[in-house]
């Protein structure tokens, strides 16, 4: 294992507690700060429950401490990850304050979902040590973390952020430009746009869209990425298919009318029991359970594969 680092996580919510858990499970010391003390009070219990559900050593939670003082949480940190509210003003203010409290070599990272990293970090005196670290929910089950470089990020900052996330058992990738949606959400929402267009234009209903994905290329996606798939079938075949269908795909530059109509009519999805589809309580609970079981199985398989590679080397 690499030398334990000191990690500070800002925000003890859905993402913050999972991020803290991963670094602690990777052997690092973690301090978590939140302005809402109730979330700090439940932090240990939430992390212990996750670890126990995964069949992992709950003692990792001992490496996580809560703090209601920002200065104390970030003092001496090697890496600060901000997972507070998705609000540009709050994030800018946090980083401006944090900059005055940390060592000169501390890496500063934001886990924003969609705010450009350069906007968040533009007011800092030392923008070279700042970047994005976009985790996915649940943080302890989804391996990917997109490490987003801005025009100011130094190579050393980038290398340290990548290494620290790797040491926490994550799969960090380097995003070379600070573009909206980074990589994962650009790909995901390109698919969602076409999915909505298929329903909007009456080609099929929402259930059929989801069946088509889950019963076909969705099965392969976890082991065969789109460009691996293009190589598998051949770039010549890929080009031929694109010649036929690309011009016909949706190119909306705004949310589509069908989606906006769902929103304005209150069909907000599972929280309203109606969205693209209608949801009963049982259906919602069943889907949540199947998703979590699937993610846990996948994580178990990843760990088996990792253990096998270590044994073979
Ligand atoms: N939930 C997701 O799927 C997801 C995925 C990737 C990234 N993100 C991003 O991660 C961040 C956190 O999201 P979340 O889902 O954990 O939200 P959340 O509401 O569950 O947690 C946010 C926490 O930040 C705290 N907070 C708010 N302002 C603060 C401040 N000024 N200082 C310290 N703590 C503060 C809140 O009290 C809360 O505990 C957001 O930027 C979000 O967009 C979320």
């Amino acid at each position: 294992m690499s030398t334990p680092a000191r990690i500070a996580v800002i925000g003890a919510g859905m993402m913050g507690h999972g991020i803290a858990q991963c670094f602690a499970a990777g052997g690092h010391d973690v301090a978590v700060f939140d302005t809402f003390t109730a979330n700090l009070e439940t932090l240990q219990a939430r992390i212990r429950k996750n670890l126990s559900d995964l069949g992992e050593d709950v003692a990792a939670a001992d490496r996580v401490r809560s703090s209601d003082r920002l200065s104390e949480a970030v003092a001496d940190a090697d890496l600060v990850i901000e997972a507070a509210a998705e609000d540009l003003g709050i994030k800018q203010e946090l980083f401006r304050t944090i900059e005055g409290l940390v060592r000169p070599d501390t890496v500063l990272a934001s886990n924003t979902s969609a705010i450009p990293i350069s906007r968040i970090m533009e007011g800092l005196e030392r923008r070279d040590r700042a970047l994005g670290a976009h985790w996915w929910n649940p943080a302890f089950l989804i391996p990917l973390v997109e490490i987003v470089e801005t025009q100011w990020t130094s190579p050393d900052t980038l290398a340290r952020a990548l290494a620290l996330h790797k040491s926490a058992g994550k799969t960090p990738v380097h995003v070379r430009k600070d573009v909206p949606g980074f990589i994962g959400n650009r790909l995901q929402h390109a698919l969602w746009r076409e999915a909505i267009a298929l329903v909007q234009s009456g080609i099929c209903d929402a259930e059929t869209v989801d069946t088509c994905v889950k019963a076909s290329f969705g099965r392969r996606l976890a082991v065969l990425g789109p460009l691996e798939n293009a190589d598998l079938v051949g770039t010549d075949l890929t080009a031929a298919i694109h010649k036929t269908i690309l011009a016909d795909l949706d190119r909306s530059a705004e949310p589509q009318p069908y989606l906006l109509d769902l929103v304005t009519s209150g069909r907000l999805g599972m929280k309203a029991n109606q969205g693209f589809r209608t949801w009963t309580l049982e259906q919602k609970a069943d889907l949540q359970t199947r998703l979590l079981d699937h993610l846990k199985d996948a994580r178990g398989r990843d760990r088996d594969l990792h253990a096998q590679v270590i044994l073979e080397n």
Side-chain angles (χ1 to χ4, degrees):
M1 197 190 75
S2 55
T3 320
R6 280 174 295 249
I7 312 293
V9 178
I10 312 302
M14 172 100 84
M15 296 306 292
H17 90 284
I19 294 170
Q21 175 185 328
C22 293
F23 278 109
H28 301 296
D29 295 317
V30 187
V32 181
F33 167 76
D34 201 300
T35 44
F36 185 48
T37 45
N39 273 355
L40 291 178
E41 282 157 17
T42 58
L43 179 69
Q44 275 288 333
R46 283 180 286 149
I47 293 178
R48 281 174 194 277
K49 179 173 186 316
N50 294 342
L51 288 167
S52 150
D53 285 352
L54 292 172
E56 285 181 20
D57 187 1
V58 292
D62 295 342
R63 286 191 281 276
V64 180
R65 67 185 168 85
S66 301
S67 176
D68 58 4
R69 283 180 47 215
L70 182 60
S71 55
E72 189 209 40
V74 302
D76 233 15
D78 297 296
L79 167 69
V80 177
I81 298 197
E82 170 275 317
E86 185 73 350
D87 177 293
L88 177 62
I90 289 179
K91 290 185 191 298
Q92 286 177 329
E93 176 68 31
L94 267 169
F95 280 110
R96 268 197 300 270
T97 310
I98 290 167
E99 189 177 38
L101 300 169
V102 292
R103 296 190 323 242
D105 65 332
T106 303
V107 172
L108 306 181
S110 174
N111 177 50
T112 176
S113 299
I115 303 173
I117 306 300
S118 0
R119 289 297 317 280
I120 297 171
M121 308 299 184
E122 65 191 3
L124 298 186
E125 278 178 28
R126 289 267 325 278
R127 298 179 292 199
D128 58 297
R129 45 124 149 224
L131 39 63
H134 180 238
W135 291 59
W136 290 64
N137 184 34
F140 53 95
L141 289 176
I142 306 273
L144 185 72
V145 181
E146 293 167 287
I147 302 295
V148 186
E149 185 180 346
T150 72
Q151 61 270 45
W152 309 295
T153 310
S154 73
D156 177 61
T157 302
L158 179 71
R160 285 196 292 141
L162 288 166
L164 279 170
H165 281 83
K166 202 156 187 218
S167 72
K170 306 310 291 179
T171 302
V173 295
H174 175 192
V175 184
R176 296 197 184 103
K177 289 183 184 172
D178 183 20
V179 289
F182 314 131
I183 298 171
N185 270 326
R186 288 176 83 90
L187 291 167
Q188 184 167 232
H189 288 278
L191 177 62
W192 290 19
R193 176 169 66 181
E194 185 56 32
I196 295 167
L198 287 165
V199 177
Q200 182 172 262
S201 55
I203 293 165
C204 61
D205 60 15
E207 191 171 350
T208 305
V209 166
D210 289 337
T211 300
C212 279
V213 175
K214 290 189 286 185
S216 67
F217 65 89
R219 286 265 164 127
R220 301 192 293 233
L221 272 178
V223 281
L224 188 71
L227 300 183
E228 285 172 327
N229 200 341
D231 273 350
L232 183 75
V233 298
T235 52
D236 49 346
L237 177 59
T238 304
I241 294 170
H242 282 197
K243 257 190 191 147
T244 311
I245 70 169
L246 284 195
D248 206 50
L249 296 182
D250 192 77
R251 270 165 284 166
S252 308
E254 294 288 332
Q256 293 129 308
Y258 191 95
L259 176 64
L260 293 178
D261 184 46
L262 291 181
V263 175
T264 50
S265 63
R267 286 171 287 168
L268 300 179
M270 291 193 192
K271 62 187 164 196
N273 300 327
Q274 221 185 351
F276 286 97
R277 294 160 70 172
T278 303
W279 296 95
T280 64
L281 286 180
E282 294 71 31
Q283 284 171 327
K284 288 191 285 187
D286 176 58
L287 195 57
Q288 288 285 1
T289 306
R290 282 192 295 127
L291 175 62
L292 268 183
D293 286 349
H294 168 74
L295 293 176
K296 282 181 192 166
D297 284 352
R299 186 171 188 277
R301 281 196 298 277
D302 283 353
R303 290 169 86 86
D304 290 347
L305 208 61
H306 182 67
Q308 195 183 332
V309 170
I310 288 174
L311 277 177
E312 283 169 4
N313 290 325

